[in-house]
Amino acid sequence: MTVPDGRSFIEEGSPAHDFFVVTDGRVKLFTLLPDGRRQITGFAEGGDFLGLAASTSYAFGAEALGTAVLCRFPHASMQRLTDRFPNLEHRLRQEASRELSLMQARLTLLGRKTARERLATFLMERIHLLAPPCHANASQVEFDLPMPRTDIADYLGLTIETVSRVLSAFKREGLINIRGITHITIMQPERISAIAEGLE
Amino acid sequence: MTVPDGRSFIEEGSPAHDFFVVTDGRVKLFTLLPDGRRQITGFAEGGDFLGLAASTSYAFGAEALGTAVLCRFPHASMQRLTDRFPNLEHRLRQEASRELSLMQARLTLLGRKTARERLATFLMERIHLLAPPCHANASQVEFDLPMPRTDIADYLGLTIETVSRVLSAFKREGLINIRGITHITIMQPERISAIAEGLE
DNA sequence: CCCCAGACTTGATCCAGGTCAAGGTGAGGG
DNA sequence: CCCTCACCTTGACCTGGATCAAGTCTGGGG
């Protein structure tokens, strides 16, 4: 199942028939308020699971971020799979629990952190998504942000203007460098990390 | 395992050896920032599970809210149980997924709702915790808040003063009534519900 | 019945981040 | 090569909720 950039493939609140695995590319998950306010509840990429809740309707919408490739498993066939491979059920629980732990951190971010702390935390998250060797003890790390500023804002519970201002401030302070729109170099990872934890 | 009021029994970041089931009473789960800011990530009561993540350390701290009674299951014995009763694994996954759906709503609350909307949402949550018959189509619902204002504030990402002010405003507007400190009567459930969704 | 400590409420002021409003900028198409 | 549109940045101003600072309630113990 290939989903083109920007195409929505899960409608929030619609009946949940399928379970998905992201094979390639990226997707964003979000919830909406009636007046259009949006909260992005997560980004998923290769290897991530979607729709773990075998409940009756989806608690979120999902949309491709760039072209994405997914595997779709109707609940019935998942049932058959878990019957045949009991370990799978354990694996799914592990996955759900891991996600749950991440959510705790995200609640703290949205409920208690300042804009600077949110952006710093977001940058650290991106660093940890890179292959481990890249950030072991490097004094600089670089990567591309796959999502536009609007998505970063909706993920962090901020406005696009605030995201832009804080990134500019980080750049002005020599903590990061920005090339083009998407390419970020973290100049001082340890200071970004300190800001993320609320230590400065 | 009986835990007295206010006693902390899970330390955030400590090695996760056990899985808990709340048998009686209530507990609060929270994460802390180094400078003391606190986010309550959830309240658990009779029948709820704690520590689903079979990871190496707890992602949250936990503390009794009033006297609470818990069952503690070391991970090793959980393993034995799930080996013996394969359905249990499925049950645990369901529980984790249900929790995950709730988390999505909570992210939206913390990231995108106003103080009034947060308090209204919180009140609706309390209503839905009551036995179903109570709120089927009642024109009024009443209950006691088991937690102090400080905990409500840390749960909703607000300060105690804002919680107090908004509750006073709801009372002034005839939406709710407050007797003593803890007893709440929802006078106009449908309007509270509308505020919760951001519709007024 | 009164006292007291802890919890809540209320008021005055402040400020981080939102809102509104112009400008930049750069990637893709003609 | 330049145009243009979508996206991003920057500036000026505003406001919801935080902060700071008094009060006030209340319920439990003597």
Side-chain angles (χ1 to χ4, degrees), chain A residues 31-105:
Chain A
T31 55
L32 295 171
L33 289 175
D35 63 3
R37 276 173 286 175
R38 183 178 71 152
Q39 176 66 43
I40 291 191
T41 58
F43 297 105
E45 51 186 64
D48 289 337
F49 299 161
L50 267 64
L52 277 168
S55 58
T56 50
S57 61
Y58 292 111
F60 53 86
E63 187 176 311
L65 187 60
T67 306
V69 184
L70 308 177
C71 286
R72 193 166 62 82
F73 298 90
H75 279 169
S77 42
M78 272 310 278
Q79 181 71 51
R80 254 176 278 124
L81 279 177
T82 54
D83 286 350
R84 193 117 75 85
F85 307 102
N87 273 345
L88 179 56
E89 195 68 76
H90 182 72
R91 179 70 209 296
L92 293 173
R93 167 164 64 112
Q94 284 304 91
E95 202 51 38
S97 308
R98 200 181 56 78
E99 194 66 26
L100 219 39
S101 299
L102 294 177
M103 285 290 192
Q104 313 248 357

Side-chain angles (χ1 to χ4, degrees), chain A residues 31 33-35 37-39 41 52-55 59-60 82 89-90 92-94 96-101 103-104 106-108 110-114 117 153-154 157-158 197-199, chain B residues 31 33-35 37-39 41 52-55 59-60 82 89-90 92-94 96-101 103-104 106-108 110-114 117 153-154 157-158 197-199:
Chain A
T31 55
L33 289 175
D35 63 3
R37 276 173 286 175
R38 183 178 71 152
Q39 176 66 43
T41 58
L52 277 168
S55 58
F60 53 86
T82 54
E89 195 68 76
H90 182 72
L92 293 173
R93 167 164 64 112
Q94 284 304 91
S97 308
R98 200 181 56 78
E99 194 66 26
L100 219 39
S101 299
M103 285 290 192
Q104 313 248 357
R106 217 161 289 155
L107 289 178
T108 306
L110 293 175
R112 291 299 182 210
K113 289 189 179 180
T114 65
E117 289 163 1
D154 284 346
L158 299 169
E197 305 307 318
L199 299 176
Chain B
T31 55
L33 289 175
D35 64 1
R37 277 173 286 173
R38 184 178 70 153
Q39 176 67 43
T41 57
L52 279 168
S55 60
F60 53 86
T82 54
E89 196 67 76
H90 183 71
L92 292 174
R93 166 166 64 114
Q94 284 303 91
S97 309
R98 200 182 55 80
E99 193 67 25
L100 220 39
S101 300
M103 285 290 192
Q104 312 249 359
R106 217 161 291 153
L107 289 178
T108 307
L110 292 175
R112 290 298 181 213
K113 289 189 179 179
T114 66
E117 290 163 1
D154 283 347
L158 299 170
E197 305 307 317
L199 300 176

